Amino acid sequence: MPRVQGRAALVDMTMLVVDGHPDTRDMVVEYADLCGAKVISTGTAAEALVVLGAFRVDVVVVQAATLEPEDPGLALVARMQMHPAWRVVPCVFVSPDAPPRSLVAGLRRVVLLRQPIELDAIVRAAIDVGAA
């Protein structure tokens, strides 16, 4: 099992991975699973909202730039900000052009990562934002 900072990285954490590119999504899901996470994945923000309504999620990883223009990752983050239960869910927001912090300011805990990014960086960010 991959370890980050000398420990099993994501044991007992449920991670929602939202990415419009199936190959990228599968790669992140597989790596997070190897690190011990329970992983749920979706290809759209609309599907992610359904998951958030149905399951307890410890951290959301959204690859914002890869979602369809009519279903952007920023829309997911905006919906999370408006929902009392979802705004406290930590979020790792990955984009080639990281948005200004003000766009995600309504979320309690968020990490902005700029692509290209290594899988280890996503895991470290999920651990950091989940522990904060």
Side-chain angles (χ1 to χ4, degrees), residues 47-113:
E47 291 169 349
L49 292 171
V50 171
V51 169
L52 286 167
F55 298 95
R56 183 188 62 80
V57 173
D58 297 308
V59 66
V60 175
V61 176
V62 59
Q63 304 265 356
T66 64
L67 298 174
E68 297 299 319
E70 64 275 2
D71 189 29
L74 281 176
L76 172 60
V77 172
R79 290 289 303 273
M80 288 176 67
Q81 288 175 352
M82 295 185 313
H83 194 284
W86 300 343
R87 94 177 78 177
V88 298
V89 177
C91 186
V92 177
F93 192 86
V94 183
S95 174
D97 302 310
R101 188 123 176 100
S102 62
L103 291 177
V104 291
L107 295 174
R108 193 173 116 211
R109 296 176 294 191
V110 66
V111 173
L112 304 174
L113 298 177

Side-chain angles (χ1 to χ4, degrees), residues 1 4 7-17 28-29 31-41 55-61 88-92 109 111 120-132:
M1 177 181 305
V4 176
R7 60 186 168 162
L10 300 172
V11 174
D12 297 327
M13 184 178 282
T14 300
M15 176 185 288
L16 171 58
V17 176
V28 173
V29 167
Y31 191 75
D33 182 62
L34 286 171
C35 291
K38 297 173 197 98
V39 187
I40 303 168
S41 68
F55 298 95
R56 183 188 62 80
V57 173
D58 297 308
V59 66
V60 175
V61 176
V88 298
V89 177
C91 186
V92 177
R109 296 176 294 191
V111 173
D120 242 10
I122 293 172
V123 168
R124 280 192 305 275
I127 291 167
D128 291 347
V129 76

